[in-house]
Amino acid sequence: RCELLAIWHGLTLAWNQGSRSVICETDCLEALNLIHLTDISPTVDHYDLLSDIKALSNRDWTIHVTLIQRSANNAADLLAKCAARNQDDYFIWNQPSIDLMVLLQQEQSLNIF
């Protein structure tokens, strides 16, 4: 449910910012499979979020939801954990944290980007 909520929120932000071609990456195969269902029944887990995501995807824009390796997602995972600890709706960093910089350097050295 958390991954679906993050996807919905990210797509909503992208739409509101005027993006009309979006690639959404997730490391959650279950969320990806649920999003790609063509027929959503009210009996499906998280029907409410899936319906909201489908409604967003039916707007006049292009969305590609793809699966990425969890190992390629360490920086995003760190940011998500920081956001979960924060009680605000959003947080703006003036500069990346040391922990984030270390992860980005490690991923870059592995050519994950």
Side-chain angles (χ1 to χ4, degrees), residues 14-29:
W15 176 265
N16 291 340
Q17 292 297 316
S19 298
R20 295 301 179 259
S21 182
V22 174
I23 298 172
C24 176
E25 297 176 331
T26 180
D27 61 5
C28 180
L29 182 59

Side-chain angles (χ1 to χ4, degrees), residues 63-110:
I63 301 170
H64 295 286
V65 182
T66 61
L67 185 68
I68 62 169
Q69 295 177 2
R70 192 159 296 219
S71 62
N73 209 19
N74 290 332
D77 186 53
L78 175 71
L79 292 172
K81 287 177 182 174
C82 289
R85 287 190 300 262
N86 191 347
Q87 297 299 316
D88 298 327
D89 289 338
Y90 65 93
F91 187 83
I92 298 173
W93 280 277
N94 292 323
Q95 63 184 31
S97 71
I98 300 270
D99 293 336
L100 179 59
M101 290 303 297
V102 168
L103 285 176
L104 291 174
Q105 288 171 350
Q106 288 172 350
E107 289 176 1
Q108 188 174 24
S109 70
L110 296 173

Side-chain angles (χ1 to χ4, degrees), residues 37-68:
L37 287 175
T38 54
D39 190 26
I40 304 171
S41 164
T43 60
V44 171
D45 286 342
H46 317 300
Y47 172 78
D48 57 333
L49 277 174
L50 290 169
S51 296
D52 290 343
I53 292 169
K54 289 291 183 187
L56 277 171
S57 68
N58 288 332
R59 294 180 180 180
D60 188 21
W61 64 334
T62 304
I63 301 170
H64 295 286
V65 182
T66 61
L67 185 68
I68 62 169

